[in-house]
Every structure is written in structure tokens, then in C-alpha cells.
């Protein structure tokens, strides 16, 4: 139960409430946000800290730092504009960052909550010690002048209050730089886009910092170095329980022309796709209330892939982002546009067995790192490259896998992984409170949405949903 409407529940209707209770099995930094369409892009989000040990020592811990791109228009307004024929991807307006003692070591919890931007975080004339990624502490902390944070990713870093090149004013800019080549430098032309989004002060003056950005900061669109992200708690990944990974569990991210039901507007549109068809969820009829659907009989636009391994076995997935000339498996219905995607899996950490910016050579030719590989829940799928991930089947549920670029997710770049549905159905059947709560939430939502006065266009009752729903 993780709040994805159309998958694990119905949306919460206006005037209603819903209480989430969950077991905490990991520690670190994360963030909660609405998964109703583009709602989080308009600000319905916040940080979440689960306290625990770290792989390095620090003196003080700062409050979480959320970095995001921002528009002065609602994301719903932008989306409605962008899906009209001839209009392109929305452009962002600004960068926001919420935001003392020499020699002290400060723990910074960095969270990228953006709509469309991969960020590089840096503080002039200071090094950062990276000690954790997402919910995973690193075996060997490492030092850099910056850290690249994809959308949805989190990093724990330690700032030592000891400038490399002290300034006369004692003040230093905090930088939030858009990465280059992620397809995320889409800001409004002429906008006063400032990457100096905060200040570290060692004195009480109000002087503007005279510090300069490090010209050697890497700005390329890529996750932090693979070899630097080995986890402190080691995993050894076993072989896949799902057979024929090449043919049955390799997913190619691309654009596809689509029209007609259930997509709205119904004219020919180009939408992102990763599985059968661009994802299009039904708000009022979530997957978890339809577990009696036979495997293989799910509507194609729900993009449900079913895995029923024994508990604790491993499931492998290959995700590729080829261009037309490099596809290993030809898809005449799909246009492969080379762009990077931050891929997020709900319900699990996954092991990254390989992450490459080179063309996918076929599963049998990929070298897999099964000995304590990097582990997290958001990883960058490199443009023209591929990502091989594995998760342990120890959490029965309907889990969303999606690109965390909000426009891509709304366009359909997502799929559902239905894990051990019999165990999930058994769990829901035994819980005397959970299923009635789900049903009541759906009844309240369906009552609310059936009143066309609640629609943004009451004259077109079928026009209420104009994106994938996530």
C-alpha cells in the first residue's frame, strides 16, 4: 500500500482522509509526494527522515534539503498546453532550494524533488563526503567537490566546515546546477536562472559571497560512479527466477503514436512507452482490487507484468534506451529517442547489475556484477544505453516502475509489477480493515468524480483524465 492511485488504491476524494501505516525496515532519507497525476509538481510533497547509523562520523545533522525546478504556472496548466497538437514539452521557470562553526562536520540530506531536472549540488571551495545513496549506506565514503542527484534520488553527504580557498567575506555560494545531456535543460528562454541557490556563512555579515564555482565540476548526465556506490550491508545476487530475460523481461523505452480509447484527448498523440502500450491507469478501479484477473488477461494499457517466484528469489529486469539505429530488438511501433531517464521502482531496493551508456548487446553478452553491486530505488537509465536491475521477491504487492521525469510519467512511461499476487490476495483477505478501507475510498472517489460539476470541463464528462494518472 504505497499510495499510487489506480494501482494500490483509488485517489482520496476531496473532503475525505486516508491514514498510511507502514513498517520501517530501512533508514535514511526519502520524500513523500502525491502520485495523482502531476499534483506533486505543484508542491504536494515533503521530506521524510528515518534515523539510523551512518558509515562516517559527523558533528551536526541539518534538516533535509529539497531541490526542485519550478514554474509560475500550475503543472496541470502546462500539461494541458503541451498535449495540444504542435506544442512541445513544458519549459521550467526557476530553481528552488530550501535552505555554521569552522571544522565541524555537517550531515546534509539532499533530495531531488524535481519535475524535469537532474541537479548537481556543490558548495564553492568545499569538498563533500558522500556516505549514502537513497536508503543505502556506502561501504567506503568518498570525497568530491559535487554530487549529481537524479530526480527522486537522495544522497547523504558530510560537509566539513573548512574552506579549501577561504574568501575575505567568509561567505560561499551553494550551487544547484542542471546537469547537461539529461534532456532537462528545458528552462524558459530569458528566465533569470540562477544556480547560486543558497549561502554558507562563517560570519554574521550580509555581504554577497565572492566565491567562484569550481570550473572542474563534472556536469555530464550520469549517476555517481558505479564503483563508488558499493553498499555497507553486502548482498550477493543469485540467478534470476524469471526465465528468458532477453525475450520476456527486456523493456525498451521509446515514443509511440497512439489514439482512441482509453487515451484522452483521443486524437493521434505521441506518448512514452516502456511495455505493451503507454500506461493509462483507471483511477477508480485499482489493480489490488482486481487480483482475480487471470495472468495475461490484463488490459494492455495497464501494463501489468506478473511475477510469482518463491519468496526471496530474484527477479531480473533489463531496461534499454536505444536510438533507432542501435535497437537490439526491432519495434516498428516505437520511435527510440535517445534521452536519459531516472527509473524508480516502488516497493523495493534493487541491485544494479550493470549500468552502461553503450548500446545494449543482448543479455548473454552483458557482464553482471552480482557481488555487492550498488543498491538503490532510483537509477539513471543512460541515453543510448541500458540498465540491468534485480530485486528480491520478498514484498508481495502491485508495484509501479516508472520514469521520474513527471512529463514522461504522465505520458505513460511506466508499468506495474504484480509480485506474488496470491500472497497479496491472501494478505488483503485476512486483514479485516484494509480491504474495506480500500473499497470505501474508491466508493467516495467514484461518487465525487461522477458529479461532472467537479470536472475541469463539465461539458465533456469523458475528459476528466488526460494523462496516465501517475
Amino acid at each position: 500500500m504505497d499510495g499510487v492511485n489506480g494501482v494500490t488504491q483509488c485517489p482520496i476524494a476531496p473532503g475525505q482522509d486516508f491514514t498510511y501505516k507502514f513498517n520501517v525496515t530501512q533508514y535514511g532519507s526519502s520524500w513523500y509526494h502525491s502520485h495523482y497525476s502531476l499534483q506533486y509538481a505543484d508542491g504536494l510533497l515533503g521530506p521524510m527522515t528515518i534515523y539510523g547509523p551512518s558509515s562516517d562520523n559527523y558533528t551536526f545533522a541539518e534538516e533535509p534539503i529539497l531541490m526542485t525546478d519550478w514554474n509560475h504556472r500550475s503543472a496541470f496548466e502546462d500539461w494541458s498546453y503541451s498535449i495540444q497538437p504542435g506544442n512541445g514539452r513544458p519549459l521550467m521557470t526557476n530553481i528552488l532550494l530550501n535552505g555554521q562553526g569552522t571544522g565541524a562536520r555537517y550531515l546534509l540530506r539532499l533530495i531531488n524533488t524535481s519535475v524535469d531536472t537532474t541537479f548537481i549540488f556543490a558548495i564553492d571551495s568545499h569538498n563533500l563526503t558522500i556516505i549514502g545513496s537513497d536508503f543505502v549506506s556506502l561501504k567506503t565514503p568518498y570525497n568530491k567537490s559535487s554530487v549529481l542527484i537524479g530526480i527522486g534520488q537522495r544522497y547523504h553527504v558530510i560537509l566539513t566546515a573548512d574552506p579549501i580557498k577561504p574568501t575575505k567575506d567568509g561567505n560561499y555560494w551553494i550551487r544547484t546546477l542542471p546537469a547537461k545531456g539529461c534532456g532537462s535543460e528545458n528552462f524558459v528562454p530569458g528566465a533569470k536562472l540562477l544556480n547560486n541557490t543558497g549561502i554558507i556563512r562563517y560570519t554574521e555579515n550580509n555581504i554577497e559571497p565572492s566565491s567562484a564555482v569550481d570550473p572542474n565540476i563534472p556536469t555530464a548526465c550520469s549517476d555517481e560512479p558505479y564503483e563508488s556506490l558499493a553498499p555497507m550491508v553486502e548482498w550477493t545476487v543469485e540467478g534470476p527466477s524469471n526465465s528468458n530475460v532477453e525475450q520476456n523481461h527486456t523493456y525498451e523505452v521509446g515514443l509511440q503514436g497512439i489514439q482512441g480509447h482509453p487515451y484522452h484527448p483521443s486524437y493521434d498523440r505521441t506518448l512514452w512507452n516502456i511495455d505493451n502500450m503507454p500506461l493509462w491507469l483507471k483511477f477508480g478501479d485499482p489493480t489490488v482490487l482486481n487480483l482475480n484477473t487471470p495472468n495475461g488477461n490484463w488490459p494492455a494499457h495497464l501494463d501489468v507484468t506478473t511475477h510469482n517466484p518463491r519468496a526471496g528469489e530474484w527477479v531480473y529486469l533489463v531496461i534499454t534506451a536505444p536510438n533507432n539505429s542501435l535497437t537490439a530488438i526491432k519495434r516498428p511501433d516505437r520511435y527510440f529517442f535517445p534521452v536519459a531517464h531516472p527509473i524508480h521502482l516502488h516497493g523495493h531496493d534493487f541491485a544494479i547489475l550493470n549500468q552502461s551508456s553503450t548500446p545494449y548487446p543482448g543479455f548473454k553478452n552483458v557482464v553482471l556484477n552480482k557481488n555487492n553491486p550498488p543498491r538503490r530505488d532510483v537509477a539513471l537509465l543512460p541515453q543510448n544505453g541500458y540498465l540491468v536491475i534485480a530485486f528480491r521477491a520478498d514484498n508481495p504487492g502491485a508495484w509501479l516502475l516508472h520514469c521520474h521525469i513527471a512529463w514522461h510519467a504522465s505520458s505513460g512511461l511506466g508499468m506495474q509489477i504484480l509480485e506474488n499476487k496470491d500472497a497479496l490476495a491472501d494478505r488483503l483477505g485476512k486483514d479485516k480493515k484494509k480491504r474495506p478501507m480500500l473499497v470505501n475510498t474508491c466508493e467516495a472517489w467514484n461518487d465525487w468524480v461522477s458529479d461532472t460539476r467537479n470536472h475541469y470541463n463539465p461539458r465533456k464528462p469523458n475528459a476528466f483524465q488526460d494523462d496516465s494518472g501517475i
Side-chain angles (χ1 to χ4, degrees):
M1 187 66 59
D2 64 348
V4 181
N5 44 220
V7 179
T8 61
Q9 67 173 88
C10 290
I12 304 166
Q16 303 297 309
D17 61 74
F18 194 98
T19 300
Y20 295 93
K21 296 181 180 180
F22 55 94
N23 294 324
V24 175
T25 59
Q26 296 173 282
Y27 58 87
S29 292
S30 191
W31 56 303
Y32 65 87
H33 58 89
S34 169
H35 238 295
Y36 176 81
S37 189
L38 286 155
Q39 205 167 44
Y40 96 79
D42 282 352
L44 187 49
L45 58 88
M48 183 168 61
T49 301
I50 302 169
Y51 296 100
S54 70
S55 54
D56 204 350
N57 297 320
Y58 56 88
T59 313
F60 306 104
E62 296 296 317
E63 294 296 317
I65 298 173
L66 279 65
M67 57 196 75
T68 190
D69 43 20
W70 187 254
N71 268 348
H72 300 307
R73 305 168 303 276
S74 167
F76 291 92
E77 180 183 356
D78 274 346
W79 177 254
S80 180
Y81 170 82
S82 72
I83 62 177
Q84 301 304 313
N87 294 339
R89 185 174 177 174
L91 301 179
M92 308 308 288
T93 308
N94 213 333
I95 298 173
L96 303 182
L97 183 74
N98 70 330
Q100 341 171 324
T102 303
R105 288 162 61 82
Y106 293 85
L107 175 65
L108 307 182
R109 303 179 178 103
L110 307 176
I111 307 172
N112 187 343
T113 65
S114 290
V115 174
D116 193 22
T117 307
T118 294
F119 281 120
I120 299 157
F121 180 89
I123 300 173
D124 290 352
S125 198
H126 289 76
N127 276 330
L128 305 171
T129 303
I130 293 91
I131 66 171
S133 62
D134 296 353
F135 276 133
V136 179
S137 292
L138 301 183
K139 184 176 183 179
T140 305
Y142 63 100
N143 295 319
K144 283 183 64 183
S145 61
S146 63
V147 59
L148 184 141
I149 312 174
I151 303 171
Q153 290 183 339
R154 297 87 65 200
Y155 277 92
H156 279 193
V157 305
I158 293 174
L159 166 68
T160 300
D162 187 14
I164 298 170
K165 295 180 180 179
T167 61
K168 291 183 179 180
D169 51 63
N171 302 324
Y172 303 85
W173 286 116
I174 300 173
R175 308 279 179 178
T176 315
L177 306 152
K180 297 185 181 299
C182 283
S184 57
E185 304 115 282
N186 295 312
F187 288 87
V188 174
K192 294 182 179 180
L193 189 65
L194 301 176
N195 60 49
N196 45 340
T197 48
I199 298 173
I200 297 289
R201 296 190 187 274
Y202 286 85
T203 65
E204 295 183 359
N205 67 57
N206 293 319
I207 300 173
E208 183 172 298
S210 59
S211 63
V213 65
D214 181 355
N216 297 316
I217 287 177
T219 59
C221 181
S222 63
D223 271 337
E224 285 295 294
Y226 183 92
E227 61 277 4
S228 298
L229 300 180
M232 172 171 278
V233 178
E234 298 189 6
W235 280 6
T236 298
V237 179
E238 299 173 0
S241 62
N242 48 325
S243 61
N244 202 343
V245 174
E246 181 70 80
Q247 294 298 324
N248 298 331
H249 305 286
T250 296
Y251 302 93
E252 296 179 306
V253 173
L255 290 161
Q256 181 174 343
I258 204 83
Q259 62 180 329
H261 181 78
Y263 304 97
H264 179 84
S266 59
Y267 51 73
D268 190 16
R269 297 169 61 186
T270 301
L271 299 176
W272 283 100
N273 193 359
I274 188 174
D275 193 14
N276 301 309
M277 294 174 66
L279 180 67
W280 206 267
L281 298 173
K282 189 173 182 180
F283 287 136
D285 193 22
T287 299
V288 295
L289 293 182
N290 291 278
L291 297 178
N292 59 346
T293 302
N295 294 344
N297 283 17
W298 295 91
H301 61 272
L302 294 181
D303 289 304
V304 177
T305 179
T306 304
H307 295 279
N308 291 302
R310 288 191 295 270
E313 291 186 331
W314 291 88
V315 176
Y316 285 27
L317 304 174
V318 179
I319 307 167
T320 70
N323 66 30
N324 277 347
S325 62
L326 301 176
T327 48
I329 304 172
K330 300 299 181 184
R331 294 291 301 259
D333 62 337
R334 201 167 300 178
Y335 173 68
F336 296 98
F337 185 79
V339 64
H341 302 272
I343 300 297
H344 175 45
L345 174 62
H346 290 224
H348 289 278
D349 278 347
F350 53 75
I352 305 174
L353 305 184
N354 199 309
Q355 183 180 35
S356 176
S357 58
T358 62
Y360 177 58
F363 187 71
K364 66 180 180 180
N365 298 316
V366 174
V367 177
L368 302 178
N369 174 22
K370 300 180 183 180
N371 183 23
N372 199 33
R375 188 168 73 244
R376 59 189 321 163
D377 56 52
V378 185
L380 194 69
L381 170 62
Q383 63 175 346
N384 294 331
Y386 61 93
L387 191 62
V388 183
I389 64 175
F391 67 89
R392 200 197 310 262
D394 56 6
N395 191 18
W399 305 121
L400 185 67
L401 182 145
H402 66 98
C403 174
H404 227 306
I405 295 173
W407 311 126
H408 293 183
S410 279
S411 179
L413 209 171
M415 57 183 281
Q416 300 182 65
I417 296 175
L418 185 54
E419 175 188 344
N420 288 327
K421 73 171 185 175
D422 292 339
L424 174 60
D426 185 60
R427 182 179 296 179
L428 286 175
K430 290 179 179 178
D431 193 312
K432 301 299 183 182
K433 295 181 180 180
K434 188 171 292 183
R435 188 176 182 88
M437 181 174 62
L438 289 172
V439 172
N440 292 340
T441 301
C442 288
E443 288 177 349
W445 168 260
N446 289 322
D447 285 346
W448 182 84
V449 81
S450 65
D451 186 345
T452 57
R453 293 174 299 178
N454 294 324
H455 295 196
Y456 70 89
N457 189 346
R459 295 175 183 167
K460 295 182 179 180
N462 295 324
F464 182 82
Q465 183 179 346
D466 63 0
D467 79 342
S468 70
I470 63 168

